[in-house]
Amino acid sequence: MNIAALLVSVGALLVSGAASYRQLRLAGHANTLPVLVELFREHRSDYLAEARWFVHQELPGRDVSEGLHSLAPEELKLVRDLAWFYDNLGALVAHGIVDIGPVSGYLGGSVISTWESMAPLVTAHRARRSAAGRDEGAEWQGYYENLNLPLDRGHLETGT
């Protein structure tokens, strides 16, 4: 009889633990949902659409050896704001605030394609920052780059 009571108690504990874990996950999703909705809305904005168009159509093939200083002021604003958007998104994912799944599913292609166009510019700007004595030069747009890496390898699309 004692063994049966022990088994029932252990079973109840496992069910309770599983229910608590599920509730914590649901609460986490409820907290991040408004953040994701706002990020997706901003990504669809005319302004960031224009920035993505510029990065895809105008940036490739340009001499970007001076980093951001290679761009005209209006181009600089577009590129910088788009890079900051993806860098901030990468920070949210890296710190577990936003789940990578929805980001990968909705923005993955944009992250990869814009990074391919922007990588030479980012590399040149990092070198410029480092040459100016800024220790954080190698870290500039690091979250953006790190967000791109798993997406580019396809790990997130396949769930591996």
Side-chain angles (χ1 to χ4, degrees), residues 32 46 73 86 97 113 120 135 159:
T32 61
D46 289 341
Y86 287 131
I97 296 167
S113 64
D135 293 334

Side-chain angles (χ1 to χ4, degrees), residues 67-135:
L68 291 177
H69 300 280
S70 303
L71 304 172
E74 62 279 355
E75 297 169 341
L76 169 67
K77 182 164 176 33
L78 287 171
V79 169
R80 187 191 60 211
D81 289 350
L82 184 65
W84 281 346
F85 175 84
Y86 287 131
D87 198 51
N88 290 338
L89 179 62
L92 293 173
V93 168
H95 294 286
I97 296 167
V98 171
D99 185 29
I100 189 68
V103 170
S104 173
Y106 187 71
L107 302 178
S110 292
V111 171
I112 293 167
S113 64
T114 58
W115 179 256
E116 289 171 355
S117 296
M118 293 204 12
L121 177 98
V122 170
T123 300
H125 198 70
R126 285 176 178 169
R128 187 176 171 89
R129 290 171 65 103
S130 293
R134 294 182 171 167
D135 293 334

Side-chain angles (χ1 to χ4, degrees), residues 38-68:
E38 184 57 34
L39 287 169
F40 293 167
R41 180 180 294 121
E42 184 177 355
H43 191 262
R44 289 188 317 264
S45 72
D46 289 341
Y47 178 70
L48 286 186
E50 179 185 356
R52 286 190 306 277
W53 182 90
F54 177 81
V55 165
H56 287 125
Q57 300 299 318
E58 298 290 328
L59 196 56
R62 284 240 185 138
D63 175 15
V64 292
S65 59
E66 294 297 314
L68 291 177

Side-chain angles (χ1 to χ4, degrees), residues 12 36 115 120 123 144-145:
L36 279 173
W115 179 256
T123 300
Y144 180 11
E145 181 177 20

